[in-house]
């Protein structure tokens, strides 16, 4: 019993001793803060403090880091300990009080009160219905701003630099419907020729009347051919979407994505040679629409954000999760369009009033290299590599030798098909090489592009590899 009492008394003594030490530490800390504040007041009143300067003097680095010399050794150690405990980018207590009293810095409470006053407290107090109304108002504002930008500066820029001063909407109506007799009659009766541009009935003398041009200009008409291309592309899109919806629950994501690659081949491989400038214009317009729609989707603007998100969700991969923008369909379109744009930039333009410069006299295989590369080569590499790939390349990325071979074979077949269509249409621009020589050059270009696609594991190959293939086709004169 006596031993237990002794242990209890010992524990109480230790607890009292620890409490006393803690109390002494707190008291010492309070005394230190009080002394620092009194010292700051003395400095603020221009009092003579040993080792310090008046408020009007400039502080140097040595003065800021110097601890007043009248402090004792114990106070200096405690001050250094307190200084080390300060948060980063803050001043020591005694120095902060000194600068605050001299007017060099404001109070910390002033910053806090200012930051709190600027917070959107009203937005946080909104109900669900009020937040929905505010979101619709914001969406309407964004739509109006985008419409105003398109209707005024962009429309004026296009009219000046692309359409020889013609109004874009009227020019587009004549560009698409100008060969319809009833439409032409109504425009003439309503005296709208100054706004809606009607195509001329005379042919450009620089144009060679090959079988393809006879069908396009004499049998259908240039504007009607463009309408036919639009109808054909819309029908291809509908058929492709029906196939994708049927395969949604049957195949994996990568296979469903390759259906869109096949849609690009079906839509544009036969139509690029019919009217290359119109195809390039369609690429640019569709790309602008894609960018705007995905901007609205990423900004969560009603009513387009939620339907677009639900539609695109089954077809995204890891690259689309790196940021707020879904880039797969945008890069797919860019990969098909860049070779066409570059080839048209190096092709002589022809055309009659009011569509000067909106026709070409020659075609070449480089115009379709993007479509062949992305639509056929990339799709074949992915499908064959995933299903039959056994031998992997030694570098990282997981791409197979079988997939690379499939890529090269598909590109050669695509270029051969495009050349056959170019010869059937009779358009100028063929290299004139024999078929074995042409296929040999195509195999070299396809092989180098395939190796580029196999090595390029960190970037988006839908934009880089078509450019490499275009350079090779142009350089080898395939």
């Amino acid at each position: 019993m006596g031993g237990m009492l002794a242990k209890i008394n010992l524990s109480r003594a230790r607890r009292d001793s620890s409490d006393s030490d803690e109390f002494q530490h707190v008291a010492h800390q309070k005394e230190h803060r009080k002394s620092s504040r009194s010292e700051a007041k003395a400095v603020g009143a221009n009092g003579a403090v040993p080792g310090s300067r008046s408020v009007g003097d400039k502080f140097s680095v040595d003065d800021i880091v110097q601890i007043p010399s009248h402090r004792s050794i114990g106070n200096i150690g405690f001050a250094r300990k307190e200084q080390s405990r300060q948060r980063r980018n803050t001043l020591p207590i005694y120095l902060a009080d000194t600068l605050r009293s001299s007017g060099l810095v404001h109070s910390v409470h002033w910053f806090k009160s200012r930051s709190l006053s600027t917070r959107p407290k009203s937005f946080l107090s909104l109900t669900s219905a009020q937040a929905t109304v505010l979101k619709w108002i914001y969406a309407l504002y964004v739509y109006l701003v985008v419409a105003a930008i398109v209707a005024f500066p962009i429309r004026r820029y296009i009219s000046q630099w692309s359409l020889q001063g013609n109004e874009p909407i009227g020019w587009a109506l004549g560009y698409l419907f100008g060969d319809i007799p009833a439409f032409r009659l109504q425009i003439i009766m309503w005296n709208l020729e100054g706004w809606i541009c009607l195509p001329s009935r005379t042919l450009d003398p620089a144009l060679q009347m090959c079988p393809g041009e006879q069908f396009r200009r004499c049998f259908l008409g240039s504007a009607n051919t463009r309408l036919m291309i639009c109808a054909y592309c819309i029908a291809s899109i509908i058929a492709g979407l029906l196939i994708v919806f049927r395969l949604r629950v049957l195949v994996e994501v990568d296979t469903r994505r390759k259906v869109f690659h096949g849609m690009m081949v079906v839509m544009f491989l036969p139509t690029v040679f019919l009217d290359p400038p119109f195809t390039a214009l369609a690429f640019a317009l569709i790309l602008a629409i894609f960018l705007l729609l995905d901007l609205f989707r990423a900004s969560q603007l009603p009513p387009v954000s939620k339907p677009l998100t639900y539609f695109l969700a089954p077809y995204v991969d890891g690259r689309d999760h790196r940021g707020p923008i879904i880039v797969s369909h945008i890069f797919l379109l860019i990969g098909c369009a860049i070779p066409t744009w570059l080839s048209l930039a190096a092709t002589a333009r022809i055309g009659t009033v009011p569509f000067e410069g909106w026709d070409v006299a020659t075609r070449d295989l480089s115009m379709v290299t993007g479509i062949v590369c992305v639509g056929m080569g990339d799709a074949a590499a992915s499908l064959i590599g995933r299903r039959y790939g056994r031998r992997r390349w030694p570098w990282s990325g997981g791409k197979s030798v079988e997939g690379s071979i499939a890529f090269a074979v598909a590109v050669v077949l695509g270029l051969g098909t495009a050349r056959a269509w170019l010869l059937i249409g009779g358009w100028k621009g063929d290299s004139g090489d024999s078929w074995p020589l042409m296929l040999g050059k195509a195999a070299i270009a396809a092989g180098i592009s395939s190796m580029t696609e196999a090595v390029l594991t960190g970037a988006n190959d839908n934009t880089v590899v078509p450019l490499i293939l275009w350079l090779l086709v142009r350089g080898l004169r395939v």
Side-chain angles (χ1 to χ4, degrees):
M1 188 67 178
M4 293 181 61
L5 290 175
K7 290 181 179 180
I8 292 174
N9 292 331
L10 181 59
S11 63
R12 287 179 178 177
R14 290 177 178 175
R15 184 178 59 189
D16 295 339
S17 176
S18 62
D19 293 341
S20 176
D21 293 339
E22 184 177 357
F23 178 77
Q24 290 179 2
H25 176 71
V26 173
H28 185 61
Q29 185 177 4
K30 290 182 178 179
E31 182 181 357
H32 165 69
R33 291 178 179 175
K34 186 183 296 183
S35 63
S36 64
R37 288 171 183 168
S38 62
E39 183 179 304
K41 291 179 180 179
V43 174
N46 291 331
V49 179
S52 64
R53 296 185 180 183
S54 62
V55 179
D57 296 337
K58 295 183 179 180
F59 287 94
S60 65
V61 177
D62 297 334
D63 296 328
I64 291 177
V65 299
Q66 181 183 3
I67 299 176
S69 59
H70 71 283
R71 295 185 182 275
S72 61
I73 300 299
N75 288 339
I76 291 176
F78 186 77
R80 288 178 178 175
K81 187 176 181 181
E82 287 294 317
Q83 183 179 359
S84 64
R85 290 179 180 178
Q86 296 301 316
R87 192 161 54 91
R88 187 181 180 185
N89 299 327
T90 59
L91 297 173
I93 295 175
Y94 61 87
L95 182 59
D97 292 335
T98 302
L99 297 178
R100 190 180 299 115
S101 62
S102 62
L104 296 179
V105 297
H106 295 281
S107 173
V108 178
H109 300 286
W110 181 80
F111 287 105
K112 290 184 179 180
S113 62
R114 184 173 181 180
S115 62
L116 289 175
S117 62
T118 57
R119 289 182 181 179
K121 296 181 179 179
S122 59
F123 181 78
L124 298 177
S125 61
L126 292 176
T127 63
S128 178
Q130 291 173 340
T132 303
V133 172
L134 191 62
K135 182 184 290 187
W136 275 94
I137 294 175
Y138 172 70
L140 180 61
Y141 168 76
V142 173
Y143 295 147
L144 290 177
V145 169
V146 172
I149 292 174
V150 173
F152 294 103
I154 294 181
R155 183 174 64 89
R156 182 176 300 177
Y157 182 85
I158 293 175
S159 174
Q160 180 180 357
W161 296 101
S162 300
L163 307 180
Q164 292 80 37
N166 295 307
E167 202 278 326
I169 297 178
W171 184 92
L173 291 175
Y175 191 64
L176 291 175
F177 304 103
D179 284 333
I180 300 177
F183 180 81
R184 295 178 65 94
L185 179 61
Q186 293 296 326
I187 297 303
I188 294 174
M189 290 178 59
W190 294 343
N191 197 21
L192 296 177
E193 296 93 337
W195 175 47
I196 299 177
C197 302
L198 296 178
S200 176
R201 291 297 189 180
T202 60
L203 298 178
D204 192 336
L207 184 66
Q208 180 186 6
M209 294 305 294
C210 58
E213 290 301 310
Q214 289 180 358
F215 175 79
R216 183 170 75 96
R217 293 179 175 274
C218 302
F219 182 73
L220 287 179
S222 299
N224 290 336
T225 303
R226 299 181 190 109
L227 288 178
M228 184 189 70
I229 292 174
C230 293
Y232 171 74
C233 291
I234 292 174
S236 301
I237 292 173
I238 294 175
L241 291 177
L242 292 177
I243 295 174
V244 168
F245 292 152
R246 289 292 293 271
L247 297 177
R248 179 178 295 182
V249 296
L250 300 177
V251 297
E252 58 183 2
V253 176
D254 189 73
T255 304
R256 295 197 300 265
R257 289 162 57 91
K258 300 312 171 185
V259 175
F260 294 101
H261 290 238
M263 290 168 57
M264 300 297 288
V265 176
V266 172
M267 285 190 296
F268 294 114
L269 188 61
T271 59
V272 167
F273 290 154
L274 284 176
D275 198 335
F278 176 67
T279 307
L281 176 62
F283 279 142
L285 293 177
I286 296 171
L287 179 60
I289 293 173
F290 278 2
L291 291 174
L292 282 177
L293 288 179
D294 212 70
L295 177 63
F296 297 155
R297 184 202 59 79
S299 302
Q300 300 183 4
L301 297 180
V304 300
S305 175
K306 189 175 293 185
L308 281 176
T309 302
Y310 287 155
F311 175 76
L312 295 174
Y315 313 109
V316 298
D317 62 357
R319 289 173 294 187
D320 296 318
H321 295 151
R322 297 177 183 176
I325 302 297
I326 297 178
V327 298
S328 293
H329 59 293
I330 297 175
F331 283 167
L332 173 64
L333 182 62
I334 292 176
C336 294
I338 284 180
T340 304
W341 293 336
L342 294 177
S343 297
L344 284 177
T347 304
R349 301 295 188 91
I350 59 174
T352 57
V353 179
F355 303 112
E356 302 96 331
W358 284 91
D359 206 344
V360 292
T362 62
R363 280 87 166 150
D364 61 85
L365 291 183
S366 64
M367 292 180 177
V368 297
T369 50
I371 301 167
V372 170
C373 180
V374 174
M376 301 181 66
D378 186 76
S382 178
L383 296 176
I384 300 299
R386 288 178 179 271
R387 188 176 181 86
Y388 302 104
R390 297 294 183 268
R391 301 173 182 85
R392 303 292 176 182
W393 292 108
W395 49 83
S396 61
K399 295 187 178 181
S400 63
V401 177
E402 292 82 359
S404 299
I405 295 174
F407 181 98
V409 172
V411 168
V412 172
L413 292 177
L415 292 177
T417 304
R419 193 202 184 194
W421 175 233
L422 184 66
L423 294 176
I424 291 174
W427 292 287
K428 292 178 60 177
D430 182 60
S431 61
D433 295 332
S434 61
W435 275 99
L437 180 58
M438 177 268 167
L439 293 177
K441 291 180 179 180
I444 295 174
I448 298 176
S449 302
S450 177
M451 290 303 301
T452 304
E453 191 269 343
V455 173
L456 197 67
T457 58
N460 195 302
D461 53 3
N462 286 344
T463 56
V464 178
V465 181
L467 183 59
I468 299 298
L469 181 61
W470 179 83
L471 291 172
L472 292 169
V473 170
R474 296 282 294 190
L476 296 173
R477 300 184 183 274
V478 178

